[in-house]
Structures are given as C-alpha cells and as structure tokens.
Amino acid sequence: MKNINIILSCLTGILGLLSGIAPYTFAKVCAMEKMHCHAVTAPTVLVFGILIFVLSILQAVILWKKGRQVQN
C-alpha cells in the first residue's frame, strides 16, 4: 500500500510541474504585458505548480524513508 502512495505522490509532482509550466508552454497566456492574465495569473500558476511539485516530492521521499525504517 505504501508503494502506491509513493507512486501517486510522484505522479502528483509531475502534474504539478506540468501545470506550473502550462501558461508558458502549451497553454500560452496573452502576450500583452499589462493584462491580468500575463501579469498575475501566469506567475501565480507557476508558483503554485512548483509548490505542488516540491511538496509532493517531499512527501514521496518521507513515505519512502518511512517504509525503509519499518522493514529494518
């Protein structure tokens, strides 16, 4: 069961990273620098995507270490 949680945490990290870079790659925001979508939304999505990535990878590492301690 713990292996499934580790895998799901890693997948969540990948999805967080993809959602963070989405406004700059495959779902581009408008090019006008003064527009709200370009000035506020894109950086906010990037920050939250990176935050999701870091937290989920951290959770996967903690679960992996906890699983190794139980086995020893």
Side-chain angles (χ1 to χ4, degrees), residues 4-65:
I4 293 172
N5 290 337
I6 294 170
I7 292 169
L8 289 175
S9 292
C10 291
L11 287 175
T12 303
I14 292 170
L15 290 175
L17 189 64
L18 287 175
S19 67
I21 64 171
Y24 300 101
T25 55
F26 53 87
K28 296 204 181 258
V29 295
C30 64
M32 298 177 70
E33 293 180 6
K34 299 209 186 251
M35 293 294 290
H36 187 272
C37 57
H38 186 81
V40 178
T41 305
T44 304
V45 170
L46 177 66
V47 168
F48 280 113
I50 291 173
L51 184 65
I52 291 169
F53 172 74
V54 169
L55 290 177
S56 61
I57 296 301
L58 181 66
Q59 180 185 9
V61 168
I62 290 171
L63 288 172
W64 182 69
K65 285 185 177 182

